[in-house]
Amino acid sequence: MPEHYANLDQAAGDLGTPVLKAILDSGKFNVTILTRPESKSTFPAGVEIVRADYASIDALTSALRGQDAVVSTLGTGAILGQSVLVDAAIAAGVKRILPAEFGSDYNNPKAAALPVFGYKVVIRKHIEDKVAAGANITYTYVTNSVFLDWGLNVGFLLDLKSPEPKLYNNGEYIFSTTTLASVGQAVVGVLSHPDETKNRSVFVEDLAISQKRILELAQKVAPEKKWTPVNVNLDDLGKWAYGKLAEGDYSLDVMYTFINLGVFQDGYGSRFEKLDNELLGVTGKSEADVEDLIRNVLAGN
């Protein structure tokens, strides 16, 4: 994996903690955390920690024996390596795997074709090929579109810390978005309903919103601030990104452009038509909740 992908890991890195918290808070499951031998991460007291080489199928198989399910929140740089995790889970007798999806709907052909998502599509195929060949394992893909709180905090949904935030295609497209905590609840819901979530994607959102509406809410929260949004045409931006990619440019700007296409433009499936919120216990958020998130961003929290 090229090193420039590493900067896209922040969202995935932020996801592990709320997913773990939701699972632990549910009180339904015995939890084992799998981590690398060299990891310096700290974890809640009382949770079993197993260290294993992620590149070793033997080490992972040993670590996963006795586990019913595996939930992967690996970051972008480790996505392709999940093939070893999948093979080890099968060898260990794991019943369900949730790979590190947590984003766009890769059932949508246009989203699946975006270069930034290529490795996730490869892992999907690897899992489904194993199942089709008779492997005794099942899977669930948690699909939540873009993270709401993370997206506001880092300026991806709208850069509220800039006087000239970018609005893609005038900011009018309405897309699904989900907080990190609600993604954690969705994982608990999947593990609690194994039959209903077997071998399929589940779709969750806290609310559907547009960039334009986020800006309107920001102006309501902070009427003293003045934003002059800049419109960006996504068709033009996409042509630029594919041109740079053809030159061998895999920089962060290029990769984020493909994510922008997948989130802010019609046709890529980022506005979910049917949700599994009720099944999974995801209650959703209101525009008042978005206003609170905006206040925190503007306050620097």
Side-chain angles (χ1 to χ4, degrees):
M1 171 70 77
E3 290 181 0
H4 40 256
Y5 274 70
N7 290 317
L8 293 174
D9 284 354
Q10 183 176 358
D14 289 344
L15 178 61
T17 298
V19 168
L20 177 60
K21 183 179 187 302
I23 294 173
L24 292 174
D25 287 351
S26 75
K28 295 180 177 181
F29 311 101
N30 296 317
V31 179
T32 299
I33 295 174
L34 181 64
T35 189
R36 294 180 175 89
E38 67 276 12
S39 174
K40 304 299 183 183
S41 298
T42 58
F43 304 101
V47 177
E48 183 178 358
I49 310 298
V50 175
R51 298 183 181 274
D53 180 358
Y54 287 8
S56 169
I57 189 168
D58 290 338
L60 288 176
T61 300
S62 177
L64 295 176
R65 282 200 177 95
Q67 303 297 327
D68 292 317
V70 172
V71 180
S72 173
T73 58
L74 291 171
T76 308
I79 291 295
L80 196 59
Q82 288 182 114
S83 60
V84 180
L85 181 65
V86 171
D87 293 347
I90 292 169
V94 172
K95 300 181 180 68
R96 176 67 54 88
I97 187 165
L98 284 68
E101 294 265 314
F102 307 112
S104 297
D105 177 14
Y106 309 119
N107 298 311
N108 180 292
K110 290 185 69 174
L114 290 171
V116 71
F117 300 137
Y119 285 174
K120 289 189 176 183
V121 175
V122 168
I123 293 302
R124 276 192 172 209
K125 185 177 187 305
H126 184 75
I127 294 171
E128 292 169 18
D129 285 350
K130 292 290 184 179
V131 171
N136 190 25
I137 196 169
T138 60
Y139 59 85
T140 305
Y141 306 136
V142 177
T143 307
N144 49 256
S145 192
V146 65
F147 301 127
L148 174 59
D149 39 357
W150 174 86
L152 289 172
N153 285 335
V154 303
F156 175 76
L157 289 180
L158 191 69
D159 188 359
L160 295 172
K161 296 181 179 180
S162 168
E164 298 182 341
K166 295 177 182 178
L167 292 181
Y168 297 103
N169 292 355
N170 295 307
E172 295 178 348
Y173 181 69
I174 298 173
F175 51 88
S176 297
T177 183
T178 313
T179 59
L180 294 166
S182 290
V183 175
Q185 175 55 47
V187 171
V188 171
V190 168
L191 298 176
S192 302
H193 298 278
D195 292 337
E196 299 95 324
T197 60
K198 176 181 177 181
N199 293 349
R200 71 177 182 97
S201 298
V202 295
F203 295 86
V204 294
E205 70 169 32
D206 274 325
L207 82 165
I209 198 167
S210 67
Q211 283 189 298
K212 185 177 180 180
R213 184 56 181 159
I214 292 172
L215 182 58
E216 290 171 351
L217 294 176
Q219 290 169 330
K220 176 184 175 183
V221 166
E224 74 283 0
K225 292 186 70 66
K226 302 299 179 185
W227 287 283
T228 305
V230 176
N231 182 55
V232 178
N233 183 288
L234 278 175
D235 286 336
D236 293 342
L237 194 62
K239 291 175 183 177
W240 169 83
Y242 277 108
K244 298 299 286 185
L245 195 69
E247 297 171 1
D249 184 347
Y250 294 85
S251 65
L252 189 61
D253 285 344
V254 173
M255 292 297 108
Y256 261 116
T257 294
F258 292 123
I259 298 177
N260 290 332
L261 290 174
V263 173
F264 300 120
Q265 191 167 40
D266 193 14
Y268 291 86
S270 64
R271 174 72 185 274
F272 302 151
E273 297 180 1
K274 184 178 179 181
L275 299 175
D276 293 289
N277 282 24
E278 184 175 356
L279 172 66
L280 303 180
V282 176
T283 57
K285 303 294 181 185
S286 67
E287 288 192 345
D289 295 315
V290 178
E291 291 174 16
D292 287 340
L293 291 171
I294 290 171
R295 288 188 186 93
N296 287 332
V297 170
L298 295 178
N301 298 332

